[in-house]
Amino acid sequence: MSLDPLNPTPEYLAFWRERHICTLTTSRPDGTPHVVPVGVTYDPEAGLARVISNKNSKKVRNVLAAQPGGARVAVCQLEGRRWATLEGRAVIRTDEEAVADAVTRYAERYGRMPSPNPDRVVMEIALDRAMGRA
């Protein structure tokens, strides 16, 4: 079922606030998919999903390779028959304020503060598509 990522149903938003490991799909430079487990936070008011990562990770390198306009990506989570996917254009942000905000949001959703990491960046996904059954 297609949804508005900026105006999700209460059930869809509630599902994204539960603690679930998600997948992130990026494209490698050769066009093949790269799918990895990640933690994701969803902020429909800002129209963003966020993934914190190490700046040297393959997923970050894949997004950077698609610059300057960013890369098309998808994040997905599921539990039983419930599932939710968010899609959009991702960019990598390195400024301290954006990274700190993403870490705080991660800690709120996942119930733990990630270990300090001087190489941490945030992948911000400007959302333009949502689908699922929550």
Side-chain angles (χ1 to χ4, degrees):
M1 170 173 51
S2 183
L3 301 159
D4 179 355
L6 308 181
N7 189 25
T9 65
E11 297 82 11
Y12 192 80
L13 184 57
F15 186 46
W16 275 104
R17 290 190 171 145
E18 295 173 11
R19 186 181 191 276
H20 295 285
I21 296 300
C22 305
T23 61
L24 166 72
T25 303
T26 61
S27 292
R28 294 181 184 100
D30 68 3
T32 59
H34 179 253
V35 184
V36 294
V38 293
V40 176
T41 60
Y42 175 31
D43 181 0
E45 293 82 18
L48 296 173
R50 295 176 179 89
V51 175
I52 57 175
S53 183
N54 186 295
K55 69 180 181 183
N56 299 309
S57 71
K58 180 64 175 166
K59 60 186 162 286
V60 169
R61 291 194 317 270
N62 288 341
V63 170
L64 291 173
Q67 294 293 344
R72 292 288 305 172
V73 303
V75 291
C76 182
Q77 67 179 22
L78 66 104
E79 179 186 57
R81 296 176 58 110
R82 298 185 308 155
W83 63 276
T85 299
L86 297 167
E87 297 179 30
R89 190 155 300 278
V91 296
I92 304 302
R93 304 254 329 253
T94 59
D95 60 283
E96 286 183 32
E97 185 177 321
V99 173
D101 178 56
V103 167
T104 298
R105 290 172 186 275
Y106 177 96
E108 288 171 5
R109 180 172 190 204
Y110 290 98
R112 69 172 192 83
M113 184 62 74
S115 304
N117 179 353
D119 292 331
R120 182 168 287 130
V121 297
V122 59
M123 182 182 300
E124 286 188 349
I125 306 164
L127 302 171
D128 59 22
R129 184 177 293 166
M131 55 188 158
R133 182 175 307 212

